[in-house]
Amino acid sequence: MESPVFEEIDPASDCDCPGCVHWRRVLPHSWAGRTSGHPAAHRALALAAVASAALGAGHAVPAAAASYAPHRPGVPAGDEPDSPQGATAPLHGPGGRPAKPAVAPKPTSLTRTEIINRAKTWVAAKVPYSMSAYWSDGYRQDCSGYVSMAWKLPGNEWTGSLAQYGEKISKEELQPGDILLFHNASDPENGSHVTIFGGWTDSAHTTYTAYEQTRPHTRRAATPYAYWSNSSRYVPYRYKGVVAEETVPGKEGGTPGAPAAVPFPGAAYFGPGANNKYVTELGRMLVARGAGGSYASGPGPRWTDADRRATRAFQTAQGWTGAEADGLPGPHTWELLVTGKGKDVKDGAVGPPPASHGVPGYPGRALFRPGANNSYVTRLGEQLVRKGFGRFYRVGPGPRWSEADRRAVEAFQRTQGWRGGAADGYPGPETWRRLFS
């Protein structure tokens, strides 16, 4: 008798339950797959129905499940970007507004700060990866849809059409808000991908901060130039609509790109009982500055202990102590966050969110994802080695989440009799409990 699957139920805004994980992987590739009562299945069927209706009406629309770069069976996910993408489409997909003309319209003017801030909104929201679903802002939840959103394009592009909105530049010219684009024209399904350049992380310009849409959700991570794979084939582009940063009036010399339109709302908007948009905005800024480990399910409008812990971690990172690091944002904390100044929170400084589902020691899903780098990844890997799953590691285990960690976790999950979405290689509370029991 197979072991019952209690796995991977960890409350989150992007729903990481095994059913959602499974359907997010299966449905974009197979509309003929099982249909169940799960909301993911109904959403996929509804999208397919909209596309069919539009086609029946004689309008040319892209296939809802057009795959330009699907993951190839048998190829480890770490060897290529696991980011299939949809075709060119209007906002909100086939059912959205009429398709735009073939010639790209005049680009919307944006500053570099605006581009990066738009990119950060998806990182903070942990937008799930999908090549057929559309986020609330109308943009498709894949790598090219993400860039279309950050550049505020009038519709959803793909890697084969994004270049028309940019101009080629050199590596030395790269600045935050530019992109690194790899479109494999001879075989679009083989590795095509795009990332947003967020700035260099070292003086030698060998590593940069990449904002990208990839499974399981949008991420911001240090990435070797130009990418983990096919590095030589990525081309830097600059958005044609980039304009100079505005300065903040009233400050000597001004502060380029500072969002003066979001002043500190006042201490009354934060703390126990607070429930407003400024709490959400605070949480998003804290996540972008490295304090995301405090949140089990992402920032929201209701003030929680996660907001306090994340705020305190940011304040401590500035070297503040005592009343200056009380976990409640004041004017100085807010100013550093909205202007992008000050020091980021170091990995692991926040500590894990409260134990999930009463499982001692389980820190939450957010610490076991691509780009994660913390002591819990090391602890997980060492325990997997003790349990006999060390064959997946060539070096390590270590603090940086890798494909070796995912494959070792998947192998352990399969020994529990789990299959499908319950054996996806990402440790949930039940995996953690069984692994450390």
Side-chain angles (χ1 to χ4, degrees):
M1 179 177 178
E2 292 189 357
S3 301
V5 178
F6 304 97
E7 193 69 321
E8 311 278 359
I9 308 173
D10 190 21
S13 60
D14 55 345
C15 189
D16 266 338
C17 74
C20 282
V21 171
H22 173 69
W23 287 115
R24 280 202 298 270
R25 289 184 171 187
V26 173
L27 286 172
H29 301 284
S30 175
W31 296 108
R34 272 189 317 182
T35 58
S36 69
H38 198 285
H42 290 298
R43 285 197 298 272
L45 289 175
L47 181 57
V50 170
S52 299
L55 286 170
H59 297 291
V61 296
S67 58
Y68 281 93
H71 178 66
R72 291 170 289 166
V75 178
D79 292 346
E80 64 175 15
D82 190 13
S83 50
Q85 58 180 313
T88 302
L91 293 180
H92 299 285
R97 70 189 190 192
K100 56 188 177 301
V103 178
K106 183 179 179 180
T108 301
S109 295
L110 291 172
T111 65
R112 295 188 178 283
T113 300
E114 288 174 320
I115 293 174
I116 294 300
N117 284 343
R118 289 176 66 84
K120 286 179 178 179
T121 61
W122 277 28
V123 174
K126 298 182 180 179
V127 175
Y129 188 91
S130 174
M131 63 184 231
S132 58
Y134 295 80
W135 197 237
S136 57
D137 53 21
Y139 291 96
R140 192 177 54 246
Q141 297 165 213
D142 57 15
C143 64
S144 46
Y146 181 45
V147 172
S148 299
M149 181 278 298
W151 280 6
K152 206 173 183 179
L153 300 184
N156 288 280
E157 302 298 326
W158 70 297
T159 56
S161 62
L162 277 172
Q164 67 180 318
Y165 288 91
E167 55 184 359
K168 288 184 181 180
I169 58 174
S170 65
K171 173 184 176 182
E172 291 70 28
E173 294 176 294
L174 277 167
Q175 295 184 52
D178 298 335
I179 64 170
L180 291 161
L181 174 66
F182 168 36
H183 176 62
N184 191 354
S186 60
D187 184 7
E189 297 185 2
N190 186 2
S192 297
H193 190 49
V194 61
T195 70
I196 299 172
F197 181 83
W200 298 108
T201 62
D202 63 339
S203 59
H205 291 185
T206 60
T207 307
Y208 68 102
T209 298
Y211 292 88
E212 64 175 324
Q213 180 69 346
T214 186
R215 289 193 174 101
H217 52 65
T218 322
R219 71 177 183 181
R220 171 184 179 269
T223 304
Y225 184 85
Y227 199 67
W228 303 96
S229 58
N230 295 305
S231 181
S232 63
R233 305 183 69 179
Y234 279 76
V235 179
Y237 281 90
R238 174 161 298 158
Y239 178 50
K240 292 179 180 178
V242 167
V243 296
E245 305 282 354
E246 296 181 358
T247 58
V248 178
K251 291 193 176 183
E252 184 178 353
T255 303
V262 190
F264 180 60
Y269 285 85
F270 307 99
N275 188 338
N276 57 76
K277 65 180 181 180
Y278 296 106
V279 175
T280 303
E281 181 64 21
L282 171 73
R284 288 174 176 171
M285 293 190 292
L286 288 167
V287 168
R289 300 300 295 275
S294 177
Y295 296 93
S297 58
R302 183 179 295 279
W303 178 270
T304 66
D305 187 58
D307 295 299
R308 178 184 287 274
R309 293 170 67 242
T311 302
R312 183 185 293 119
F314 178 75
Q315 292 169 333
T316 302
Q318 313 313 309
W320 305 343
T321 57
E324 291 185 320
D326 60 359
L328 295 171
H332 194 188
T333 299
W334 187 266
E335 180 184 6
L336 292 181
L337 287 170
V338 300
T339 60
K341 294 183 177 181
K343 298 178 181 178
D344 289 350
V345 178
K346 294 182 179 179
D347 288 327
V350 175
S356 177
H357 293 73
V359 178
Y362 177 64
R365 286 180 173 277
L367 298 185
F368 306 103
R369 290 302 186 204
N373 191 330
N374 57 74
S375 61
Y376 294 96
V377 176
T378 303
R379 182 182 175 190
L380 173 75
E382 291 174 345
Q383 185 67 5
L384 286 165
V385 171
R386 294 190 193 99
K387 291 285 188 176
F389 298 91
R391 66 184 183 278
F392 297 99
Y393 296 96
R394 293 183 181 178
V395 180
R400 188 175 191 85
W401 178 265
S402 67
E403 178 64 10
D405 295 300
R406 193 198 67 78
R407 294 177 65 196
V409 172
E410 180 183 16
F412 173 78
Q413 290 169 331
R414 287 184 175 277
T415 63
Q416 310 306 303
W418 304 341
R419 296 294 183 268
D424 61 359
Y426 296 101
E430 185 62 17
T431 294
W432 187 272
R433 186 185 69 77
R434 296 192 184 197
L435 189 58
F436 286 90
S437 63

